[in-house]
Amino acid sequence: MKLKEYLEKNKIKQKDFARMLGMAYTHIHYIVNEKRYPPIELAKRISDFTNNEVEIEELFCGPRKKCCPTCGQFVRKNSWFKSISWLLMK
């Protein structure tokens, strides 16, 4: 489940969620709207806080982000071609 869906489902405002995690509202706002990726530690905290309803992978692999088709991990823009080339060479 996306973080935005989780917050809407549980009627939690982004400001309140940020306060619960001890984060700045703007940081959570960017993560919720998929403008920035959280550090892995924060992604883990969000997942734990939501009882794994929001999975760590969901915080990284949204519609605007590229994920490896094999493993599902987020791939940086510059390394996308290298990753695909490496997979094809196997």
Side-chain angles (χ1 to χ4, degrees):
M1 170 184 299
K2 298 280 186 197
L3 181 55
K4 190 172 198 170
E5 294 169 358
Y6 175 84
L7 296 175
E8 288 171 358
K9 175 184 148 194
N10 292 291
K11 297 182 174 113
I12 301 173
K13 294 180 183 178
Q14 290 180 20
K15 286 184 181 184
D16 295 334
F17 188 70
R19 196 174 305 122
M20 289 177 211
L21 290 175
M23 304 288 309
Y25 159 72
T26 52
H27 196 167
I28 293 298
H29 175 77
Y30 283 125
I31 293 169
V32 168
N33 292 299
E34 299 180 356
K35 304 276 186 203
R36 292 193 183 151
Y37 319 121
I40 193 68
E41 299 84 17
L42 178 56
K44 176 83 171 100
R45 281 177 44 204
I46 291 170
S47 182
D48 290 345
F49 186 85
T50 62
N51 294 322
N52 296 320
E53 285 188 56
V54 176
E55 295 179 5
I56 293 174
E57 294 81 16
E58 288 290 330
L59 296 167
F60 294 102
C61 296
R64 298 179 56 201
K65 300 163 191 73
K66 296 192 178 204
C67 296
C68 174
T70 305
C71 65
Q73 290 185 336
F74 170 70
V75 180
R76 295 184 191 279
K77 189 184 283 185
N78 296 341
S79 65
W80 179 253
F81 179 74
K82 292 177 190 173
S83 298
I84 297 300
S85 299
W86 182 79
L87 287 171
L88 295 174
M89 292 171 60
K90 277 187 151 183

